[in-house]
Structures are given as C-alpha cells and as structure tokens.
Amino acid sequence: MSEFWLISAPGEKTCQQTWDHMMVATTRTNNLSTNHKFNIPDLKVGTLDVLVGLSDELAKLDGFVESVLKKVAQYMADVLEDSRDKVQENLLANGVDLVTYITRFQWDMAKYPIKQSLKNISEIISKQVSQIDNDLKARASAYNNLKGNLQNLERKNAGSLLTRSLADIVKKEDFVIDSEYLITMLVVVPKTGYADWQKTYETLAEMVVPRSTNLLFEDQESGLFSVTLFRKALDDFRHKARENKFTMRDFQYNEEELKADKEEMTRLSTDKKKQFGPLVRWLKVNFSEAFIAWVHIKALRVFVESVLRYGLPVNFQAMLLQPTKKTMKKLREVLNELYKHLDSSAAGIIDSAMDIPGLNLSQQEYYPYVYYKIDCNLLDFKL
C-alpha cells in the first residue's frame, strides 16, 4: 500500500521512549504497521501568532502542491501514451522510488535552509511549485497543440474512403491533367456495388469516356474508382451517380498541395519526436522537485502543529507509519488508546468516523496526536 500516516507525539523522558512505546503498541504485539522515524531538524519557532497563521497557510500550500504533483504525474502518463505502464518508474524523488524517499527522509538544508524562518521556507516552496505549475501549463499547451495537429492529419489519412485524405492513394498517372475538355473524377463504390458500377458508369451521363474506369484502392467496405468524362457532363454525372449510391469525391489533383501535406505530416512527426525526450526529462525532474517540496511541507506542518499542541520547548517525536488496508481500523484504535491522554475530546470524533462507512473526514480528521496522511499514489488510474 502506498499510504503513510505521518504522526507525532510529545517526547516523554526522551523522544526515544516515545518511539519505543509506539513500536511496542503497533508492531511487537499487533504487527499493524511498518514504522520509521521521521527526522525533522530544529526549525525556528517564531511567535505563537505566526504559527497559528502559518498552520492555515501550510494546509492550503499542501493541497496546492499535491494538485501540481498529480498534474505532473498525470501528464507524464499522457505523454508516454502506449508506454504508460512505465510511468511509475519515471516518478522518482531524488533518484529513488517515492516510498524509499519518504521512509529515509532527510531535510534538504541546501534547498530549505533551517536558519530561515518557517514562513520564508514555506514561501520558497510556494514560489518553486508555482513556477513548476506555470511551466507545465506552457509546455503542455505547446506539446498538445503539436500532438493535436498531428492527430488531425493522421485521422485524415485513416478512416473510410468517403472522408480520408487521398494523398497517399492516388498518383499523377491516374488523372487526365491540364485538359480543356476532359476531367478525371474519383468515385467511392461499395464493394457490393462493383458489378453495378462497371455496368452503368458509362451511361450515367452522355459524355463519359468508355473503359476509362480503374480501381485505384479499396478498404474493407468500398473501392475508389477513377472515371474520365467531359467537363460539361460533370453535373449530370454527379446527379446520376448519387441516385445510384455512388459517392463522388471532390478532388483535384494538385502535386504541390499533396507534397505540402506530406511534408507537414513529416515535420509534425519529427517535431513531436524531438520534443518528447526533453519533455519527459523535464517532467521527471520537476515531479521529483515537487514531491520533495511536498514532503518538506508535511514536515513543516508536523512541526508547527506539534509546537501548537504540545507547547515549548520543542519536544516531540515524528513517526511515519505504513498500515495495510486490513489493519487501518485496528491501528487507529491502538493509537487512540496510546495517546488519548493528550486530548480526550478527540476520542468521540475518531469513534464516529470509524463507524460510518464512506464518511470522508479528510479535511476535519482530528486525533489526540498530530496526524497527516501521505498517499504516494498520485495517478488517477490504476496501472
């Protein structure tokens, strides 16, 4: 499972004791979760007013960064197209998988200097992730336009003979060109109507050139026939063809236009291949940056909330628990029992939340201990 519970409890005689008691309660007797210490450095506390305000700001920032992370992950899957089963191996943080990064979390002193105030650190993260969000919008827009134009051209070269581009099907020698009187037209005939076409095409108008029809191409449903006639008979021929369920394609052979279409297709395809590699690299790098920022926000939230709840001097142990789906309810009960002395008013909230199936308290979850969820599954679909 990719869900983690990031919790904190006040230090007892030592923070190690807090850790040991939690370990005994959750693993040694019950084996309810896999646990790791979560190391948060000595950050600058600031004033109580600042911490209260920062608590709300960090909650909003947490949601924003998570939304950007999901967008980057989802766009990575979109860009990889047929290889989207490889998306997970591209979603790394600092070169390792997300679970490894979280369970071995170390504060990045270079990116987020702890001599800075908590507010400054949160602003650094906010600017950094906002930049990623803006860059993603610009890059996605450019790549999607290119991809869309290419798909439109590809659609023109596929589909039925009634609508598809004929550039790859017809050749110059299939047409009478530059004649003042004659014109070659293209007609789509259902396969079931081939015999009727051969019998009737010469009589659909008065001035059709005898034996001038050729089958140029066929798909599963129909065939593309050429036929040559006098220009003045064109309207009459078109009308009679429609009556007989033969569909004329409005097509004039123009070598320059056909060449331009093929060149445009090649250009777009080449451009897409050129942009693919750099775009995937950018997504990998910036997913990693955003994920690292997100986990640092979780650390900030734990720090701020722990100081607000447990008071000064700073003395708490942050812990990362990885439950299984089957053990979640039991783990909640055990943690509640272990920490209920911290805040007895939280017990009722927990009990009612656990008993109502489908109740989502994601924004209002409140326990006697500090608690935040980290879910590493950032894709909207299952691979």
Side-chain angles (χ1 to χ4, degrees), residues 41-56:
D42 294 328
L43 300 168
K44 280 192 167 184
V45 176
T47 66
L48 190 62
D49 283 353
V50 168
L51 288 181
V52 171
L54 195 57
S55 179
D56 289 339

Side-chain angles (χ1 to χ4, degrees), residues 94-221:
N94 254 3
V96 296
D97 65 85
L98 307 184
V99 168
T100 301
Y101 178 80
I102 292 174
T103 53
R104 296 181 190 169
F105 174 73
Q106 293 293 325
W107 187 275
D108 192 325
M109 301 287 183
K111 275 197 184 92
Y112 314 115
I114 60 172
K115 287 180 181 173
Q116 300 254 18
S117 69
L118 296 174
K119 189 161 181 61
N120 280 3
I121 295 172
S122 75
E123 282 171 358
I124 289 168
I125 293 174
S126 179
K127 279 180 193 164
Q128 178 196 7
V129 178
S130 294
Q131 187 62 52
I132 291 172
D133 191 35
N134 291 333
D135 286 354
L136 175 65
K137 284 172 190 161
R139 287 168 187 269
S141 174
Y143 189 75
N144 289 349
N145 280 342
L146 180 60
K147 193 167 147 186
N149 290 339
L150 183 59
Q151 282 171 341
N152 287 339
L153 276 183
E154 284 169 345
R155 267 197 292 274
K156 280 186 187 174
N157 288 326
S160 83
L161 282 169
L162 296 169
T163 55
R164 65 170 288 174
S165 166
L166 303 177
D168 289 339
I169 292 174
V170 298
K171 302 182 188 71
K172 189 174 182 179
E173 53 266 32
D174 296 327
F175 295 83
V176 173
I177 294 172
D178 298 331
S179 165
E180 192 179 339
Y181 300 107
L182 295 172
I183 186 169
T184 300
M185 298 303 295
L186 300 177
V187 183
V188 178
V189 179
K191 280 192 170 174
T192 52
Y194 281 11
D196 283 347
W197 168 255
Q198 293 289 358
K199 264 193 293 190
T200 61
Y201 82 91
E202 291 179 2
T203 59
L204 292 177
E206 285 187 359
M207 298 175 139
V208 177
V209 177
R211 295 189 296 284
S212 65
T213 195
N214 287 303
L215 176 62
L216 306 181
F217 184 86
E218 60 183 346
D219 61 18
Q220 289 179 323
E221 287 92 36

Side-chain angles (χ1 to χ4, degrees), residues 109 153 197 245 247 331 342 372:
M109 301 287 183
L153 276 183
W197 168 255
K245 299 200 167 40
T247 307
L331 181 60
L342 298 175
Y372 295 105

Side-chain angles (χ1 to χ4, degrees), residues 284-340:
K284 282 173 74 169
V285 167
N286 286 278
F287 177 86
S288 173
E289 291 296 306
F291 189 84
I292 290 165
W294 189 44
V295 179
H296 279 75
I297 290 166
K298 298 288 188 189
L300 284 176
R301 293 189 76 186
V302 169
F303 183 86
V304 169
E305 194 64 24
S306 298
V307 173
L308 287 172
R309 286 222 212 168
Y310 310 142
L312 291 170
V314 175
N315 181 28
F316 67 89
Q317 177 65 54
M319 301 165 277
L320 191 70
L321 285 61
Q322 187 177 15
T324 64
K325 204 155 197 170
K326 288 179 183 170
T327 61
M328 278 185 172
K329 185 173 181 184
K330 180 66 178 165
L331 181 60
R332 277 281 180 235
E333 290 166 359
V334 166
L335 292 175
N336 182 38
E337 190 60 34
L338 186 61
Y339 298 123
K340 66 182 177 185

